[in-house]
C-alpha cells in the first residue's frame, strides 16, 4: 500500500529547513555524487556521515551492476586510492550493508547481496511493471511445468497399460503351454502290457521276408550238394 504524502513535506522543502530536507532526501534516495553537486547549499557532513552516504552509494550502484570496477567506485565515492576504497567496502560488509568480494586482480567489487533503499514515487510505475513481468514469467513457467506433469502422467499410463498387456499375454501363453503339455501327455500314455505285446509281435510282413530268406538258403544248400555228388 502506498503511503499518502506527508503534509509537512512541502513546508520543509520550501521553508527555512529546506537544506536539511534536501540532505535527508539524498540519504534516502541519492548518492555521494549528488551531495557533492549541491554541497554549497547543504549542511556539512562529518566523516562518519560521508562514509554512510558512500555505503549507500555503493548499494545504488550494486542495484544496477553486480561487478563494479574500482575506477567507477573511486570516481563516484571521491576516494584517493584503492586502499581507502577497500577499507570502505570492508566497513560496509561488516555493517551488513552488502555482501561480496574484492577482486584485486581484476580491480572490481563483486556484489552478492545488498540492502534495499527507499523508493521515489516516480519509480513506483517501473516497479509495478517489473513485478507484472515477473508474474507473467511465473505463469509461463507454471504452465510449462503443468504441461510436463501432464506428459509424464500420460507416459506413466501408457507404460502401465503396456505392462498389463504383457502380463496378460504371458498368462495366456502359460495357459496354452499347460493345456498343450497335458494333451501330449494324455496322447502318449498307454497300457504297459499292451506296449510289451507290441514289442514282442513283429511288424506285418516281417515273417514273410524271413521265410523267403530261409527257402532261398535251403535251395542254395541243396544245389551245392548235387554239384558235389556229381563230381564224386
Amino acid at each position: 500500500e502506498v503511503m499518502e504524502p506527508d503534509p509537512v513535506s512541502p513546508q520543509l522543502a520550501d521553508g527555512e529547513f529546506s537544506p536539511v530536507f534536501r540532505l535527508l532526501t539524498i540519504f534516502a534516495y541519492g548518492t555521494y555524487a549528488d551531495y557533492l553537486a549541491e554541497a554549497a547549499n547543504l549542511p556539512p557532513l562529518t566523516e562518519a556521515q560521508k562514509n554512510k552516504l558512500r555505503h549507500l552509494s555503493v548499494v545504488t550502484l550494486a542495484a544496477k551492476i553486480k561487478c563494479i570496477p574500482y575506477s567507477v567506485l573511486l570516481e563516484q565515492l571521491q576516494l584517493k586510492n584503492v586502499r581507502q576504497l577497500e577499507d570502505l567496502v570492508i566497513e560496509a560488509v561488516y555493517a551488513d550493508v552488502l555482501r561480496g568480494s574484492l577482486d584485486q586482480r581484476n580491480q572490481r567489487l563483486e556484489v552478492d547481496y545488498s540492502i534495499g533503499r527507499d523508493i521515489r514515487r516516480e519509480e513506483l510505475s517501473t516497479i509495478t511493471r517489473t513485478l507484472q513481468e515477473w508474474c507473467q514469467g511465473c505463469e509461463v513457467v507454471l504452465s510449462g511445468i503443468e504441461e510436463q506433469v501432464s506428459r509424464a502422467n500420460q507416459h506413466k499410463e501408457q507404460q502401465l497399460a503396456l505392462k498389463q498387456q504383457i502380463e496378460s499375454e504371458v498368462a495366456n501363453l502359460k495357459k496354452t503351454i499347460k493345456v498343450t503339455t497335458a494333451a501330449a501327455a494324455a496322447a502318449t500314455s498307454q497300457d504297459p502290457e499292451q506296449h510289451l505285446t507290441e514289442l514282442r509281435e513283429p511288424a506285418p510282413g516281417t515273417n514273410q521276408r524271413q521265410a523267403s530268406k530261409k527257402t532261398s538258403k535251403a535251395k542254395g544248400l541243396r544245389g551245392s550238394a548235387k554239384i558235389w555228388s556229381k563230381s564224386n
Side-chain angles (χ1 to χ4, degrees), residues 30-222:
T31 63
Y32 188 70
D34 295 333
Y35 171 78
L36 294 178
E38 305 179 35
N41 301 321
L42 298 175
L45 297 178
T46 64
E47 198 63 31
Q49 291 171 339
K50 289 180 182 179
N51 286 340
K52 176 65 176 179
L53 189 54
R54 287 187 175 110
H55 292 170
L56 296 174
S57 300
V58 175
V59 171
T60 299
L61 289 172
K64 300 175 183 178
I65 180 173
K66 296 301 180 183
C67 294
I68 311 172
Y70 278 7
S71 57
V72 175
L73 292 169
L74 289 171
E75 179 182 358
Q76 292 293 320
L77 305 179
Q78 289 296 299
L79 295 173
K80 296 179 181 179
N81 52 57
V82 174
R83 176 62 182 273
Q84 290 181 348
L85 173 60
E86 291 180 345
D87 289 343
L88 179 73
V89 172
I90 292 173
E91 289 178 2
V93 171
Y94 277 108
D96 204 24
V97 174
L98 58 87
R99 288 196 292 268
S101 59
L102 292 168
D103 187 351
Q104 295 179 337
R105 181 176 181 180
N106 296 314
Q107 294 288 289
R108 65 185 183 183
L109 168 64
E110 298 179 357
V111 181
D112 298 327
Y113 159 83
S114 63
I115 63 173
R117 298 198 64 182
D118 293 334
I119 301 172
R120 292 186 176 93
R121 287 189 172 275
E122 54 267 25
E123 296 175 345
L124 292 177
S125 59
T126 302
I127 295 174
T128 301
R129 183 172 62 254
T130 302
L131 291 175
Q132 289 175 347
E133 293 174 354
W134 179 78
C135 290
Q136 292 174 358
C138 290
E139 291 177 356
V140 172
V141 173
L142 181 61
S143 177
I145 293 175
E146 291 176 348
E147 182 178 356
Q148 293 295 328
V149 170
S150 177
R151 290 179 181 177
N153 290 334
Q154 184 178 2
H155 179 71
K156 180 181 178 181
E157 292 176 357
Q158 291 175 352
Q159 293 299 315
L160 182 60
L162 179 60
K163 179 182 178 182
Q164 293 175 349
Q165 180 182 357
I166 293 174
E167 290 177 350
S168 177
E169 292 178 355
V170 170
N172 292 334
L173 185 59
K174 287 181 178 179
K175 290 180 181 179
T176 302
I177 293 173
K178 185 176 181 180
V179 171
T180 304
T181 304
T188 56
S189 62
Q190 296 179 349
D191 188 359
E193 295 182 358
Q194 181 181 357
H195 183 62
L196 291 174
T197 303
E198 291 178 353
L199 290 176
R200 294 192 190 97
E201 293 179 355
T206 303
N207 293 334
Q208 296 178 358
R209 285 194 298 271
Q210 291 177 352
S212 62
K213 287 181 179 179
K214 291 179 180 180
T215 304
S216 60
K217 186 175 181 181
K219 289 180 179 180
L221 290 175
R222 284 194 293 270

